[in-house]
Amino acid sequence: MATAVIAQRSSSDLAADVRAGLLRPGQKELPSKYLYDEIGSELFEVISVLPEYGLTRADERLLRRHATDIVPRLEAHVLVAELGSGSGKKTRWLLEALARRQRTTYCPIEISRTALARCESELSQIECISIVGFERPYLDGLLAAAARRDKNEQLLVLFLGSTIGNFDRDAAERFLSEVRRILFPGDALLLGTDLEKPLPQLLAAYDDSIGVTAAFNLNLLARINRELGADFDLEAFQHVARYNPAHRRVEMHLRSTADQTVTIPAAGCIVAFLKDETIWTESSHKYRTSEISEMAGRSGFKCDSQWIDTEWPFAESLLIAE
Ligand code: AVI
């Protein structure tokens, strides 16, 4: 196995996004991508093993059980690119099944250096897999990975863990269309999506009993304190998970428990909060299986196969670029 990392700093500008999100009229919001600094990525790893949060286990279970069904549906030579590889643990099953057929290049694409390093150490022992990591935003990384494919190689893009659920539905479809534009007809996308499930189960998944998800959410304010010199009092904000039935999504918010002002020097602003006002930090959309193939169709893919976990409703869909 060979490993290499190709790095490029993301151009995201925390200060500008914080300023825009907290000074906007109406609902204050912060982009969910900022949840994943070094501490946030570690906390997400803990969330993924919590008893209340079955999503990651369902994703991994499907890949473990069905890797040998998925691989024969692909062409003989495949280059694998994974958008947001995380720790890479669940990808192992698929890479092992591919490596049994032939030497394969795997390109994890991550904006989190910590996650990329963890993924590379998790997967570097698999024989016949060469790892080329890209520390870049998804589409930039995918373009770079696609440029490495040989003429006769099918590109298999992995977008697992229901990260698509963190996009608004329209944005999710636009994103799939962008991915499709980088692919050739016949290339494949394996898409993991969390499905609708009973409300108590959903809410517990995003508000666990030992407070890891609360810490994950509050770390965003701690990060703004660390990186922008802000004075958020973490005791004066509370983690809230609520279900929005109109959009079929769980929303995470941070609720101000008092009237207060917060100074954020590096963003050049002072922000006033009313008691009970919230900052919206993340949405997790839940899907129906039929919706996935419809969305795929509108984005230039056809749904070849779908595998569903019954313990924790979750779908793995193999989409082929038309
Ligand atoms: C990464 N993403 C799919 C997770 C989710 O379930 O939406 C992020 C998360 N937020 C809180 N818990 C997990």
Side-chain angles (χ1 to χ4, degrees):
M1 61 266 123
T3 62
V5 179
I6 295 164
Q8 180 182 284
R9 298 308 310 160
S10 133
S11 60
S12 60
D13 185 346
L14 176 66
D17 287 345
V18 164
R19 193 184 152 83
L22 297 186
L23 294 184
R24 71 194 295 281
Q27 174 70 59
K28 292 178 169 58
E29 55 187 53
L30 290 170
S32 62
K33 65 181 176 183
Y34 294 120
L35 290 164
Y36 298 89
D37 66 345
E38 205 176 327
I39 295 175
S41 298
E42 292 293 340
L43 287 168
F44 180 67
E45 285 303 305
V46 181
I47 290 174
S48 71
V49 294
L50 290 172
E52 293 96 333
Y53 190 79
L55 188 156
T56 311
R57 281 186 296 279
D59 198 18
E60 187 177 355
R61 199 158 43 235
L62 284 170
L63 293 171
R64 177 162 36 87
R65 288 188 183 152
H66 298 292
T68 51
D69 302 318
I70 295 169
V71 167
R73 307 195 75 80
L74 302 171
E75 290 174 16
H77 299 281
V78 175
L79 180 129
V80 183
E82 180 165 15
L83 308 177
S85 55
S87 72
K89 245 188 259 164
K90 51 188 183 285
T91 313
R92 159 177 294 278
W93 309 106
L94 209 53
L95 293 180
E96 284 179 346
L98 283 164
R100 282 195 286 274
R101 294 197 318 187
Q102 94 235 71
R103 171 162 286 283
T104 302
T105 301
Y106 168 60
C107 301
I109 299 162
E110 258 299 337
I111 44 166
S112 158
R113 179 168 291 186
T114 317
L116 194 57
R118 183 179 286 128
C119 166
E120 283 165 354
S121 81
E122 170 78 27
L123 300 172
S124 62
Q125 287 87 9
I126 308 178
E127 287 299 327
C128 294
I129 294 291
S130 308
I131 305 182
V132 182
F134 291 96
E135 192 187 330
R136 298 193 188 176
Y138 295 150
L139 295 174
D140 283 3
L142 184 57
L143 270 169
R148 299 183 71 93
R149 57 153 40 171
D150 286 338
K151 224 174 40 217
N152 63 342
E153 265 179 342
Q154 180 188 32
L155 185 56
L156 167 65
V157 181
L158 308 178
F159 197 29
L160 305 174
S162 202
T163 303
I164 190 85
N166 297 130
F167 293 65
D168 284 350
R169 279 174 218 277
D170 288 353
E173 212 164 298
R174 280 198 301 277
F175 182 74
L176 291 187
S177 303
E178 295 284 333
V179 169
R180 171 63 191 88
R181 270 195 275 282
I182 298 172
L183 306 185
F184 295 148
D187 284 339
L189 167 64
L190 187 66
L191 182 69
T193 27
D194 202 22
L195 301 177
E196 290 183 303
K197 48 187 64 61
L199 195 53
Q201 192 182 6
L202 262 187
L203 289 179
Y206 291 88
D207 195 6
D208 61 276
S209 54
I210 59 168
V212 184
T213 311
F216 172 68
N217 201 6
L218 281 161
N219 176 56
L220 184 48
L221 303 186
R223 175 179 185 176
I224 296 170
N225 285 350
R226 286 190 296 271
E227 294 185 27
L228 303 180
D231 60 359
F232 276 105
D233 173 4
L234 301 191
E235 310 261 289
F237 286 86
Q238 254 174 11
H239 166 68
V240 178
R242 58 168 86 131
Y243 187 67
N244 180 328
H247 292 277
R248 291 183 288 123
R249 67 185 179 210
V250 179
E251 296 176 358
M252 289 204 317
H253 290 253
L254 289 161
R255 176 165 52 219
S256 171
T257 58
D259 290 348
Q260 55 181 316
T261 56
V262 175
T263 306
I264 313 175
C269 60
I270 296 175
V271 184
F273 290 90
L274 295 172
K275 181 174 185 298
D276 292 329
E277 187 177 7
T278 71
I279 310 171
W280 182 12
T281 53
E282 189 186 58
S283 299
S284 263
H285 294 78
K286 304 303 164 188
Y287 280 87
R288 299 176 180 145
T289 48
S290 56
E291 219 181 330
I292 302 165
S293 23
E294 286 157 16
M295 174 169 77
R298 289 190 298 269
S299 323
F301 292 94
K302 82 166 178 343
C303 186
D304 175 88
S305 326
Q306 219 166 41
W307 295 270
I308 314 285
D309 192 67
T310 43
E311 220 173 292
W312 178 276
F314 188 96
E316 222 70 80
S317 308
L318 182 63
L319 311 178
I320 303 294
E322 293 197 293

